[in-house]
Amino acid sequence: MKIAYKIAGGLLVSFLFLYVLMPFLIVGTPTSFYQIKNIDTVDHKITVEIFDPQNQSIHKKDYYLSPGQTLEKAKPPVLVAKTYFIDEECGCRVKSTLDDNSSVSLYIDYNPWNEPYISISENGFAMKEHRI
């Protein structure tokens, strides 16, 4: 009976190491929910809004960024667990608005190692997906 418990324990530890810890050791910690970088020479207000697959707003936040400032919003642990352990894609539309004037949007299937990256420059702003 003791051997069966040792084998089951060994299998459980091996599973946890290989499936849970190893990817984080190889790839690293999950990326942020989104990242914004202002490489312009003036301050900007940027609004980030995230919509779920049913087009309901699930997150909306305004930020004021100084020249050269980078902002990273942490990915909610529930989203990391949902996309990693349950293997359920979370397709969302991310919309960002610069100075209440122009806006861009991006559809992204969130997983632990991807994020929308919003860059502001003197020529305008753009959003793209960063993947690890």
Side-chain angles (χ1 to χ4, degrees):
M1 195 68 160
K2 288 183 180 182
I3 294 174
Y5 286 131
K6 287 181 182 180
I7 291 172
L11 289 173
L12 180 63
V13 168
S14 297
F15 171 77
L16 289 174
F17 180 74
L18 291 174
Y19 185 71
V20 177
L21 294 177
M22 186 64 92
F24 289 98
L25 292 174
I26 293 171
V27 180
T29 59
T31 57
S32 54
F33 199 29
Y34 50 85
Q35 183 179 26
I36 307 168
K37 185 166 187 166
N38 182 6
I39 53 177
D40 199 357
T41 56
V42 296
D43 295 353
H44 287 284
K45 174 188 174 190
I46 188 155
T47 303
V48 178
E49 189 168 12
I50 300 177
F51 299 90
D52 66 8
Q54 290 76 35
N55 209 29
Q56 302 293 318
S57 179
I58 57 173
H59 175 84
K60 185 173 183 179
K61 189 85 174 171
D62 293 332
Y63 298 102
Y64 296 90
L65 275 73
S66 304
Q69 185 178 4
T70 300
L71 179 131
E72 291 186 38
K73 172 76 173 157
K75 196 172 284 179
V78 171
L79 181 61
V80 174
K82 183 177 169 183
T83 57
Y84 183 71
F85 295 109
I86 302 174
D87 199 30
E88 180 179 317
E89 290 184 348
C90 182
C92 297
R93 183 171 61 93
V94 181
K95 178 183 174 188
S96 58
T97 306
L98 181 66
D99 298 325
D100 295 323
N101 191 7
S102 57
S103 57
V104 294
S105 72
L106 171 75
Y107 182 83
I108 185 169
D109 281 328
Y110 272 110
N111 66 55
W113 295 286
N114 71 342
E115 68 183 354
Y117 175 77
I118 304 161
S119 62
I120 305 166
S121 67
E122 61 188 58
N123 299 328
F125 80 116
M127 181 170 30
K128 62 183 179 179
E129 180 179 357
H130 272 184
R131 290 180 172 260
I132 294 179

